[in-house]
Amino acid sequence: MTINIGFIGPGIMGRPMALNLMKGGYKLWAYARRPETLQPLTVAGATGCASASEVAKHADVIFTIVSDTPDVEAVIFGEQGIAKHARPGSVIVDMSTISPTATKAFSERLEKLGLEMLDAPVSGGETGAINATLSIMVGGKTKVFERVKPLFECMGKNIVHIGENGAGQVAKACNQIVVAVTIEAVAEALTFARKNGADPAKVRDALMGGFAGSKIMEVHGKRMLDNDFKPGFKVGLHQKDMRIVMETAHQLGLALPAAAMVTQHLNALMGTGDANLDSAAIVKVIARMSGI
Amino acid sequence: MTINIGFIGPGIMGRPMALNLMKGGYKLWAYARRPETLQPLTVAGATGCASASEVAKHADVIFTIVSDTPDVEAVIFGEQGIAKHARPGSVIVDMSTISPTATKAFSERLEKLGLEMLDAPVSGGETGAINATLSIMVGGKTKVFERVKPLFECMGKNIVHIGENGAGQVAKACNQIVVAVTIEAVAEALTFARKNGADPAKVRDALMGGFAGSKIMEVHGKRMLDNDFKPGFKVGLHQKDMRIVMETAHQLGLALPAAAMVTQHLNALMGTGDANLDSAAIVKVIARMSGI
């Protein structure tokens, strides 16, 4: 039996992900808000659709990867949304990074309509999307996860079923907390070295092998030393993800003091017009703050 | 020519370091505030001395590894200190973790007395000291570093000459900043996962391979999951090191917001009687704060 796949939101991340699904031999039905972004997919053999509803008419598994929580809600439950025309038993796989609590609510609404949902946010960036090496963090029922797993394997390498609906988004939020706060750690340390007149490059070398060593020290530490903030992962997107973290913490009554502070440093970068820099630019906030 | 080595402060770290120097074939003159701590060294063939001054009379290179800045000052410049009887051209190698600015001042005072100094704080803990695998971060003149290097090689593996006097202490301070703030990052993320009802162990697994991966996520993250806070590196010592960081930042007019906040979390652990836990116990502060 051919699985007909739907794909909604073929942007910078979504386009290569959809192409990798097609390389896996699946027939693809696609929709994008701006029709011109569909072209690379239709050229590769996908069928362009005029709405999310139309995608849902043809597909058994429908992937969505859009910007933010309200976009996912619109694409699923809106006037021209997936839910309206989806066939019973269809699976909606949301690969956007959005609110874990909203995700849980969406999956409950869909269940009442006889539809399944997985949340499956990714990390690994555009490079990971192109090379099909994304990390995929999945929330939802085990049997639904097992059904969609071969499709995930067309797009990623490290595919982990975290738990129930929303748990994938929780893991992604945790990822963004750790990345942001570790960038802050490296930024403060390298600025401390500079201000003390010690060579931050030598300090980084000395620290890399021990307990202070991390992927962030390696990659983002290097960006800080080279003063090269070409993304990577943009401040504007990291700020959005941290807003989701802080909203969720607010809803849960959970204090996350370091995450909250780093969110302020991302806000500061938005204020200085640095939205399109890599989030390693947090080091600029630390330096500016003390007139360095 | 035999190099006569002095060793002051054979504690938990100093004892195995001194023994490793003796294994390297060097003759050792040792002093400890409490004479009973000298015994393991004298049994191994070291000569016990009654004061730091007496060590200085016999040794060309004198290692110190004591608790804090005032202890180093007393051992070098005190009534019975090294400076009083050291022979011209002798080198004092301070392996304690103390203030970078005080270290710089000490080296200048010693230079006027015709004595050389290196700061050479270590990381790697008791295990690293026993196995001679310490990381050693060195500040001081290149020619003095080259002279002492064969001795460092008896005690450590990753030996980096960072820069001028004080630069070794700067690197160590940077190490402690990164370790503390990264522990905070992992603590907040795993607590966020728990509070959201997601399995923190699965979240850690999903995060380990990507940008959120670090030595701290691996080792301290595991301690948090297992609720096992056997040190490792004690809260009481990490708090002392962060006090040095914050004093130095104060002197320099440098804001280190995340480092400052984590220092408060270490202060909190001192208040709850957790001084002897591993500093991964920062996760307890995050949890307690929100009633988890």
Side-chain angles (χ1 to χ4, degrees):
Chain A
M1 190 192 81
T2 318
I3 301 180
N4 287 299
I5 293 179
F7 204 98
I8 295 168
I12 291 175
M13 292 295 287
R15 188 185 315 116
M17 290 162 71
L19 289 170
N20 283 329
L21 283 165
M22 293 172 76
K23 276 183 208 155
Y26 299 100
K27 184 157 170 44
L28 205 87
W29 306 78
Y31 167 70
R33 225 164 0 183
R34 288 172 304 140
E36 66 270 26
T37 58
L38 276 183
Q39 219 205 336
L41 299 188
T42 50
V43 165
T47 308
C49 297
S51 68
S53 292
E54 199 187 320
V55 171
K57 278 181 204 164
H58 297 96
D60 310 300
V61 178
I62 303 148
F63 293 92
T64 57
I65 181 160
V66 294
S67 294
D68 209 342
T69 311
D71 305 302
V72 173
E73 184 164 25
V75 143
I76 300 179
F77 300 106
E79 195 57 44
Q80 301 285 313
I82 298 167
K84 201 147 262 178
H85 291 94
R87 292 175 288 187
S90 290
V91 185
I92 297 165
V93 184
D94 180 35
M95 304 189 81
S96 323
T97 295
I98 66 162
S99 159
T101 38
T103 294
K104 211 164 176 139
F106 294 163
S107 71
E108 286 161 8
R109 282 171 73 182
L110 287 170
E111 181 138 39
K112 285 180 192 145
L113 300 171
L115 299 171
E116 299 289 355
M117 184 176 176
L118 295 177
D119 47 301
V122 301
S123 78
E126 192 183 354
T127 313
I130 292 169
N131 300 333
T133 56
L134 292 168
S135 287
I136 309 181
M137 294 153 265
V138 189
K141 294 177 195 154
T142 301
K143 72 171 202 296
V144 181
F145 171 71
E146 293 300 340
R147 186 173 152 202
V148 178
K149 203 175 169 193
L151 304 177
F152 287 142
E153 284 163 350
C154 298
M155 297 182 280
K157 280 269 178 289
N158 186 25
I159 300 153
V160 185
H161 183 213
I162 307 285
E164 296 175 3
N165 288 107
Q169 296 294 353
V170 170
K172 177 67 189 282
C174 290
N175 189 75
Q176 301 305 72
I177 293 170
V178 173
V179 169
V181 178
T182 310
I183 290 174
E184 176 83 23
V186 172
E188 293 193 10
L190 296 184
T191 306
F192 182 87
R194 271 177 70 192
K195 184 81 178 175
N196 273 284
D199 179 353
K202 288 207 176 141
V203 169
R204 176 172 162 277
D205 282 350
L207 268 50
M208 270 304 290
F211 274 112
S214 65
K215 193 81 184 157
I216 297 292
M217 176 68 89
E218 188 189 328
V219 175
H220 296 71
K222 187 73 168 63
R223 285 175 189 157
M224 293 177 201
L225 293 178
D226 296 346
N227 205 30
D228 175 7
F229 300 107
K230 195 166 62 64
F233 186 67
K234 287 181 185 178
V235 165
L237 288 170
H238 212 154
Q239 190 215 21
K240 179 216 110 189
D241 291 354
M242 293 308 287
R243 193 204 69 226
I244 291 168
V245 168
M246 297 322 299
E247 277 172 8
T248 309
H250 178 104
Q251 288 158 2
L252 295 170
L254 177 68
L256 297 177
M261 197 178 54
V262 179
T263 305
Q264 299 308 308
H265 294 172
L266 292 165
N267 288 354
L269 286 169
M270 298 301 284
T272 50
D274 295 320
N276 290 320
L277 298 187
D278 184 80
S279 55
I282 283 172
V283 74
K284 286 173 171 280
V285 180
I286 302 304
R288 277 171 189 150
M289 205 186 286
S290 301
I292 299 172
Chain B
M1 190 190 81
T2 319
I3 301 180
N4 287 299
I5 294 178
F7 204 99
I8 296 168
I12 291 175
M13 293 293 289
R15 187 184 318 115
M17 289 162 72
L19 290 170
N20 283 329
L21 283 166
M22 294 171 74
K23 275 184 209 153
Y26 299 99
K27 181 152 174 49
L28 205 86
W29 307 79
Y31 167 70
R33 226 165 359 184
R34 287 173 304 139
E36 65 271 25
T37 58
L38 276 183
Q39 219 205 337
L41 298 189
T42 50
V43 165
T47 309
C49 298
S51 68
S53 292
E54 199 187 321
V55 171
K57 277 182 206 163
H58 296 97
D60 310 301
V61 178
I62 304 147
F63 293 91
T64 56
I65 180 159
V66 294
S67 294
D68 210 340
T69 311
D71 306 303
V72 173
E73 185 164 22
V75 144
I76 299 179
F77 299 106
E79 195 57 44
Q80 301 285 313
I82 297 167
K84 201 149 263 179
H85 292 95
R87 291 176 287 186
S90 290
V91 185
I92 297 165
V93 184
D94 180 35
M95 303 189 81
S96 323
T97 295
I98 66 162
S99 158
T101 39
T103 293
K104 212 165 172 137
F106 294 165
S107 71
E108 285 162 9
R109 283 171 70 182
L110 287 170
E111 181 138 37
K112 285 181 192 146
L113 300 170
L115 299 170
E116 299 289 353
M117 183 177 178
L118 295 176
D119 46 301
V122 302
S123 79
E126 192 183 353
T127 313
I130 292 168
N131 299 332
T133 55
L134 292 168
S135 287
I136 309 180
M137 294 153 266
V138 189
K141 295 177 196 155
T142 302
K143 72 170 203 296
V144 181
F145 171 71
E146 293 300 341
R147 187 174 151 200
V148 179
K149 204 176 170 193
L151 304 177
F152 287 141
E153 284 164 352
C154 298
M155 297 183 279
K157 279 268 178 291
N158 186 26
I159 300 152
V160 185
H161 183 213
I162 307 286
E164 296 174 3
N165 289 106
Q169 295 294 352
V170 170
K172 178 67 189 283
C174 290
N175 190 76
Q176 301 306 72
I177 293 170
V178 172
V179 169
V181 177
T182 310
I183 290 174
E184 175 83 23
V186 172
E188 292 193 11
L190 296 183
T191 306
F192 182 86
R194 271 178 70 193
K195 184 79 179 177
N196 273 282
D199 179 353
K202 286 204 177 145
V203 169
R204 175 171 162 279
D205 282 351
L207 268 50
M208 269 304 290
F211 273 112
S214 65
K215 194 80 184 157
I216 297 292
M217 177 67 89
E218 187 189 329
V219 175
H220 297 72
K222 187 73 168 60
R223 286 177 189 156
M224 294 176 201
L225 292 177
D226 297 345
N227 206 30
D228 175 6
F229 299 107
K230 195 167 61 67
F233 186 67
K234 288 180 184 175
V235 165
L237 287 171
H238 211 153
Q239 190 215 22
K240 179 218 108 190
D241 292 354
M242 293 308 287
R243 194 204 68 226
I244 291 169
V245 167
M246 298 322 299
E247 277 172 7
T248 309
H250 178 102
Q251 288 158 2
L252 295 171
L254 177 69
L256 297 177
M261 198 177 55
V262 178
T263 304
Q264 299 308 308
H265 295 171
L266 291 166
N267 289 354
L269 286 168
M270 298 301 285
T272 50
D274 295 319
N276 290 320
L277 299 186
D278 184 82
S279 55
I282 283 172
V283 75
K284 286 173 171 280
V285 181
I286 302 303
R288 278 172 187 149
M289 204 185 290
S290 301
I292 300 172

mmCIF file of all heavy atoms in Angstrom, chain A residues 2-21:
data_model
loop_
_atom_site.group_PDB
_atom_site.id
_atom_site.type_symbol
_atom_site.label_atom_id
_atom_site.label_comp_id
_atom_site.label_asym_id
_atom_site.label_seq_id
_atom_site.Cartn_x
_atom_site.Cartn_y
_atom_site.Cartn_z
ATOM 1 N N THR A 2 0.641 2.132 -0.959
ATOM 2 C CA THR A 2 1.374 3.402 -0.996
ATOM 3 C C THR A 2 0.881 4.306 0.135
ATOM 4 O O THR A 2 -0.327 4.421 0.344
ATOM 5 C CB THR A 2 1.135 4.157 -2.327
ATOM 6 O OG1 THR A 2 1.172 3.212 -3.382
ATOM 7 C CG2 THR A 2 2.173 5.248 -2.540
ATOM 8 N N ILE A 3 1.819 4.897 0.844
ATOM 9 C CA ILE A 3 1.411 5.926 1.797
ATOM 10 C C ILE A 3 1.449 7.272 1.074
ATOM 11 O O ILE A 3 2.467 7.655 0.506
ATOM 12 C CB ILE A 3 2.351 5.973 3.034
ATOM 13 C CG1 ILE A 3 2.351 4.612 3.747
ATOM 14 C CG2 ILE A 3 1.906 7.069 3.993
ATOM 15 C CD1 ILE A 3 3.246 4.576 4.971
ATOM 16 N N ASN A 4 0.318 7.952 1.069
ATOM 17 C CA ASN A 4 0.263 9.306 0.525
ATOM 18 C C ASN A 4 0.601 10.280 1.642
ATOM 19 O O ASN A 4 -0.033 10.271 2.697
ATOM 20 C CB ASN A 4 -1.131 9.598 -0.023
ATOM 21 C CG ASN A 4 -1.381 8.848 -1.313
ATOM 22 O OD1 ASN A 4 -0.668 9.049 -2.295
ATOM 23 N ND2 ASN A 4 -2.366 7.959 -1.304
ATOM 24 N N ILE A 5 1.604 11.105 1.381
ATOM 25 C CA ILE A 5 2.090 12.001 2.415
ATOM 26 C C ILE A 5 1.684 13.426 2.102
ATOM 27 O O ILE A 5 1.746 13.861 0.949
ATOM 28 C CB ILE A 5 3.628 11.900 2.505
ATOM 29 C CG1 ILE A 5 4.008 10.508 3.026
ATOM 30 C CG2 ILE A 5 4.197 12.977 3.406
ATOM 31 C CD1 ILE A 5 5.483 10.301 3.125
ATOM 32 N N GLY A 6 1.271 14.139 3.136
ATOM 33 C CA GLY A 6 1.010 15.570 2.998
ATOM 34 C C GLY A 6 2.151 16.362 3.622
ATOM 35 O O GLY A 6 2.766 15.908 4.599
ATOM 36 N N PHE A 7 2.431 17.530 3.053
ATOM 37 C CA PHE A 7 3.497 18.358 3.631
ATOM 38 C C PHE A 7 3.073 19.819 3.564
ATOM 39 O O PHE A 7 2.849 20.370 2.497
ATOM 40 C CB PHE A 7 4.821 18.144 2.891
ATOM 41 C CG PHE A 7 6.007 18.474 3.753
ATOM 42 C CD1 PHE A 7 6.702 17.479 4.405
ATOM 43 C CD2 PHE A 7 6.381 19.808 3.955
ATOM 44 C CE1 PHE A 7 7.774 17.785 5.242
ATOM 45 C CE2 PHE A 7 7.443 20.120 4.791
ATOM 46 C CZ PHE A 7 8.143 19.105 5.422
ATOM 47 N N ILE A 8 3.000 20.428 4.745
ATOM 48 C CA ILE A 8 2.549 21.827 4.827
ATOM 49 C C ILE A 8 3.647 22.666 5.469
ATOM 50 O O ILE A 8 4.034 22.420 6.612
ATOM 51 C CB ILE A 8 1.233 21.916 5.640
ATOM 52 C CG1 ILE A 8 0.134 21.171 4.859
ATOM 53 C CG2 ILE A 8 0.849 23.367 5.901
ATOM 54 C CD1 ILE A 8 -1.124 20.930 5.648
ATOM 55 N N GLY A 9 4.163 23.615 4.688
ATOM 56 C CA GLY A 9 5.195 24.521 5.198
ATOM 57 C C GLY A 9 6.590 24.206 4.713
ATOM 58 O O GLY A 9 7.506 24.056 5.527
ATOM 59 N N PRO A 10 6.778 24.130 3.370
ATOM 60 C CA PRO A 10 8.107 23.801 2.858
ATOM 61 C C PRO A 10 9.026 25.029 2.840
ATOM 62 O O PRO A 10 9.346 25.535 1.781
ATOM 63 C CB PRO A 10 7.825 23.269 1.450
ATOM 64 C CG PRO A 10 6.560 23.959 1.036
ATOM 65 C CD PRO A 10 5.789 24.289 2.284
ATOM 66 N N GLY A 11 9.439 25.498 4.010
ATOM 67 C CA GLY A 11 10.353 26.650 4.126
ATOM 68 C C GLY A 11 11.809 26.193 4.106
ATOM 69 O O GLY A 11 12.136 25.152 3.529
ATOM 70 N N ILE A 12 12.657 26.961 4.773
ATOM 71 C CA ILE A 12 14.101 26.654 4.777
ATOM 72 C C ILE A 12 14.356 25.245 5.315
ATOM 73 O O ILE A 12 15.168 24.498 4.784
ATOM 74 C CB ILE A 12 14.873 27.697 5.617
ATOM 75 C CG1 ILE A 12 14.855 29.049 4.890
ATOM 76 C CG2 ILE A 12 16.299 27.244 5.878
ATOM 77 C CD1 ILE A 12 15.481 30.182 5.684
ATOM 78 N N MET A 13 13.641 24.881 6.378
ATOM 79 C CA MET A 13 13.779 23.539 6.950
ATOM 80 C C MET A 13 12.894 22.545 6.190
ATOM 81 O O MET A 13 13.311 21.434 5.856
ATOM 82 C CB MET A 13 13.355 23.538 8.424
ATOM 83 C CG MET A 13 14.265 24.295 9.354
ATOM 84 S SD MET A 13 15.917 23.571 9.470
ATOM 85 C CE MET A 13 15.562 22.097 10.442
ATOM 86 N N GLY A 14 11.633 22.944 5.941
ATOM 87 C CA GLY A 14 10.632 22.027 5.402
ATOM 88 C C GLY A 14 10.942 21.537 3.992
ATOM 89 O O GLY A 14 10.695 20.372 3.668
ATOM 90 N N ARG A 15 11.509 22.441 3.152
ATOM 91 C CA ARG A 15 11.745 22.061 1.762
ATOM 92 C C ARG A 15 12.673 20.844 1.666
ATOM 93 O O ARG A 15 12.286 19.817 1.093
ATOM 94 C CB ARG A 15 12.289 23.238 0.968
ATOM 95 C CG ARG A 15 12.364 22.959 -0.538
ATOM 96 C CD ARG A 15 13.030 24.105 -1.310
ATOM 97 N NE ARG A 15 12.523 25.383 -0.859
ATOM 98 C CZ ARG A 15 13.267 26.330 -0.257
ATOM 99 N NH1 ARG A 15 14.549 26.135 -0.047
ATOM 100 N NH2 ARG A 15 12.719 27.471 0.126
ATOM 101 N N PRO A 16 13.896 20.912 2.244
ATOM 102 C CA PRO A 16 14.758 19.726 2.148
ATOM 103 C C PRO A 16 14.172 18.496 2.845
ATOM 104 O O PRO A 16 14.395 17.363 2.392
ATOM 105 C CB PRO A 16 16.067 20.178 2.817
ATOM 106 C CG PRO A 16 15.745 21.411 3.587
ATOM 107 C CD PRO A 16 14.586 22.048 2.901
ATOM 108 N N MET A 17 13.403 18.700 3.911
ATOM 109 C CA MET A 17 12.775 17.558 4.592
ATOM 110 C C MET A 17 11.770 16.878 3.660
ATOM 111 O O MET A 17 11.733 15.646 3.549
ATOM 112 C CB MET A 17 12.105 18.026 5.891
ATOM 113 C CG MET A 17 13.104 18.448 6.969
ATOM 114 S SD MET A 17 12.364 19.462 8.292
ATOM 115 C CE MET A 17 11.368 18.243 9.137
ATOM 116 N N ALA A 18 10.957 17.693 2.963
ATOM 117 C CA ALA A 18 9.958 17.142 2.028
ATOM 118 C C ALA A 18 10.657 16.420 0.879
ATOM 119 O O ALA A 18 10.236 15.330 0.468
ATOM 120 C CB ALA A 18 9.079 18.277 1.508
ATOM 121 N N LEU A 19 11.749 17.027 0.378
ATOM 122 C CA LEU A 19 12.488 16.394 -0.721
ATOM 123 C C LEU A 19 13.063 15.051 -0.281
ATOM 124 O O LEU A 19 13.064 14.083 -1.052
ATOM 125 C CB LEU A 19 13.595 17.331 -1.231
ATOM 126 C CG LEU A 19 13.103 18.571 -2.012
ATOM 127 C CD1 LEU A 19 14.241 19.554 -2.255
ATOM 128 C CD2 LEU A 19 12.439 18.167 -3.337
ATOM 129 N N ASN A 20 13.529 14.978 0.965
ATOM 130 C CA ASN A 20 14.071 13.711 1.473
ATOM 131 C C ASN A 20 12.985 12.644 1.622
ATOM 132 O O ASN A 20 13.251 11.457 1.409
ATOM 133 C CB ASN A 20 14.805 13.930 2.800
ATOM 134 C CG ASN A 20 16.183 14.551 2.584
ATOM 135 O OD1 ASN A 20 16.817 14.302 1.557
ATOM 136 N ND2 ASN A 20 16.635 15.358 3.533
ATOM 137 N N LEU A 21 11.757 13.068 1.959
ATOM 138 C CA LEU A 21 10.634 12.113 1.989
ATOM 139 C C LEU A 21 10.361 11.581 0.587
ATOM 140 O O LEU A 21 10.133 10.380 0.403
ATOM 141 C CB LEU A 21 9.380 12.795 2.553
ATOM 142 C CG LEU A 21 9.343 12.985 4.069
ATOM 143 C CD1 LEU A 21 8.247 13.971 4.458
ATOM 144 C CD2 LEU A 21 9.145 11.640 4.785
#
